Amino acid sequence: MVVDFEIKRSPAYRVASLSWTGPWSERRIRAQFDRVAKWARRHGLRTGRWIFREPGTRAWEVSIEIRGSARAESPIRIRTLPACSVASVVFDPNVVSPSVVYHGVNDWLRWRRRDKTIRSVGSYRELYARDPWRNPSAWARTEVQVVVRK
């Protein structure tokens, strides 16, 4: 499998999200995604991309893109992730280790900063087309994006 990095423009995403702080736990991440998905189904909303972010140290956020009008319901927030420039890589975690991809994108971005292609690096996020635990094709096309400032 070929893994290639690129800088591209990411669209704005209108999302329903849940956030929390604490240790990393895949079980909790999956449970929070399920909670947001059930909320969206209950409100009759069409869903799009599933987004996982780490906006701060030991802070986590799961979001599902929604289409249609909805009102926030505690603890689920409705917000818009703004359009921005991102460094992006698409890979299959069953073929290429995520730690290798993250290490590679960090080194690639370090060189982009040195040659002044970008000014700084922001937060990381993982994007999936659908539920990655129930849909193998969504898992096989995991996209890691890193917000960059040119």
Side-chain angles (χ1 to χ4, degrees):
M1 169 176 214
V2 175
V3 176
D4 201 10
F5 308 111
E6 67 175 331
I7 294 180
K8 67 179 188 178
R9 190 82 179 149
S10 175
Y13 295 107
R14 185 164 178 266
V15 298
S17 64
L18 271 172
S19 50
W20 71 96
T21 57
W24 186 89
S25 167
E26 186 169 343
R27 173 186 265 172
R28 180 143 191 209
I29 293 166
R30 185 175 183 172
Q32 299 293 43
F33 265 127
D34 286 342
R35 191 172 176 187
V36 175
K38 286 177 186 173
W39 175 88
R41 270 194 303 276
R42 194 171 59 243
H43 287 83
L45 299 170
R46 292 181 307 134
T47 60
R49 292 192 174 259
W50 291 45
I51 303 166
F52 173 67
R53 297 182 342 124
E54 181 184 6
T57 305
R58 295 174 55 94
W60 314 99
E61 181 179 280
V62 295
S63 306
I64 298 179
E65 182 182 18
I66 57 171
R67 298 181 182 114
S69 62
R71 298 191 106 178
E73 229 176 65
S74 183
I76 296 175
R77 293 179 28 192
I78 305 294
R79 57 183 294 197
T80 300
L81 299 177
C84 58
S85 295
V86 296
S88 173
V89 58
V90 177
F91 69 103
D92 182 352
N94 293 326
V95 177
V96 180
S97 171
S99 60
V100 170
V101 170
Y102 276 96
H103 181 73
V105 77
N106 281 331
D107 283 350
W108 187 76
L109 288 170
R110 185 179 315 129
W111 283 101
R112 298 296 71 81
R113 280 194 308 263
R114 282 184 184 171
D115 68 15
K116 307 235 188 287
T117 306
I118 61 173
R119 284 186 318 171
S120 63
V121 176
S123 63
Y124 287 73
R125 59 189 181 193
E126 293 179 10
L127 283 81
Y128 307 95
R130 290 174 296 283
D131 183 352
W133 290 278
R134 293 187 179 95
N135 191 321
S137 66
W139 180 252
R141 302 243 342 125
T142 298
E143 181 177 3
V144 172
Q145 291 182 349
V146 184
V147 177
V148 297
R149 290 164 201 86
K150 291 185 174 185

